[in-house]
Amino acid sequence: MAELTTYLLLFRGVGGPVQLPVAQLREALTKAGSKNATTYINSGNALVRSSLSREETLAKVVAICRMKFNYDRPIFALTSAEWEAVIKNDPFPNKAEGKHVHAVLLAETPTTDAITKIRALAVCGEDLKLVKGVCYIHTPNGFGTSKMAEKFDKWIGVVNTARNWNTVLKLHELAQGLEGK
């Protein structure tokens, strides 16, 4: 039997008017041959185990989402080892709560000017750091009230998707469970 890889699938922009019904998504992923299809909260997070390459797995998921759910936005696919690196590279280990740090996966490297422009809006201990293709945003006074967080998506200039630290850790826990660790 071919070796299975766990992929964390992060769907950009799910929530509000854009929905991916989790039960139907799990069912569709399973029908397409993914093992242990799992979803986490209705905000665009899924995990699958697949014997296919990342590119093949992602192509299948993209096709399913277009046909079944009319979802045509970027999807990021990371292995559980890559997700573990996101956690290990956290430049804000002393955060008070998981909701105060967001890990933002980037499709490509943003310009230094974009980072500088966004960071200039930081107040009261806020910061952002780019570490190995992930931008970590620390908003100790709340993400929803941060001007830096508010302008991030518009000013960063690259396709991205963000998860708060609580979700980052929960997805890691789910991935470990699928792998029997």
Side-chain angles (χ1 to χ4, degrees), residues 172-181:
H172 179 256
E173 177 186 315
L174 291 169
Q176 296 294 294
L178 291 180
E179 294 178 338
K181 292 182 179 173

Side-chain angles (χ1 to χ4, degrees), residues 51-112:
S51 59
L52 301 175
S53 71
R54 179 194 326 259
E55 293 74 20
E56 292 167 319
T57 300
L58 194 51
K60 260 190 178 186
V61 172
V62 166
I64 288 167
C65 288
R66 278 192 186 132
M67 290 187 324
K68 285 193 76 61
F69 306 109
N70 199 29
Y71 177 88
D72 195 17
R73 293 183 178 204
I75 303 168
F76 289 74
L78 286 85
T79 66
S80 63
E82 290 166 337
W83 197 249
E84 211 164 295
V86 168
I87 294 169
K88 192 164 53 169
N89 293 331
D90 173 17
F92 302 110
N94 298 322
K95 60 193 141 308
E97 291 184 62
K99 66 183 180 180
H100 293 153
V101 170
H102 283 68
V104 186
L105 283 83
L106 306 168
E108 54 193 302
T109 304
T111 66
T112 304

Side-chain angles (χ1 to χ4, degrees), residues 10-180:
L10 307 175
F11 300 82
R12 177 173 162 74
V14 174
V18 178
Q19 293 296 312
L20 273 175
V22 292
Q24 292 101 313
L25 178 61
R26 277 192 310 270
E27 183 181 315
L29 293 171
T30 300
K31 275 187 183 173
S34 295
K35 308 284 184 243
N36 306 99
T38 304
T39 52
Y40 175 65
I41 63 177
N42 195 18
S43 62
N45 306 292
L47 298 93
V48 296
R49 298 206 15 99
S50 176
S51 59
L52 301 175
S53 71
R54 179 194 326 259
E55 293 74 20
E56 292 167 319
T57 300
L58 194 51
K60 260 190 178 186
V61 172
V62 166
I64 288 167
C65 288
R66 278 192 186 132
M67 290 187 324
K68 285 193 76 61
F69 306 109
N70 199 29
Y71 177 88
D72 195 17
R73 293 183 178 204
I75 303 168
F76 289 74
L78 286 85
T79 66
S80 63
E82 290 166 337
W83 197 249
E84 211 164 295
V86 168
I87 294 169
K88 192 164 53 169
N89 293 331
D90 173 17
F92 302 110
N94 298 322
K95 60 193 141 308
E97 291 184 62
K99 66 183 180 180
H100 293 153
V101 170
H102 283 68
V104 186
L105 283 83
L106 306 168
E108 54 193 302
T109 304
T111 66
T112 304
D113 288 348
I115 296 286
T116 302
K117 183 178 176 183
I118 296 164
R119 189 178 281 130
L121 297 174
V123 297
C124 302
E126 293 179 343
D127 198 3
L128 69 92
K129 295 187 188 298
L130 182 62
V131 182
K132 297 185 179 179
V134 178
C135 200
Y136 297 85
I137 302 174
H138 184 226
T139 54
N141 303 301
F143 193 80
T145 59
S146 169
K147 290 289 181 204
M148 185 179 69
E150 176 190 330
K151 297 295 185 187
F152 182 88
D153 197 49
K154 188 177 203 167
W155 290 0
I156 196 63
V158 299
V159 173
N160 67 83
T161 191
R163 298 298 182 274
N164 75 35
W165 204 251
N166 292 332
T167 298
V168 168
L169 295 177
K170 182 61 178 179
L171 291 173
H172 179 256
E173 177 186 315
L174 291 169
Q176 296 294 294
L178 291 180
E179 294 178 338

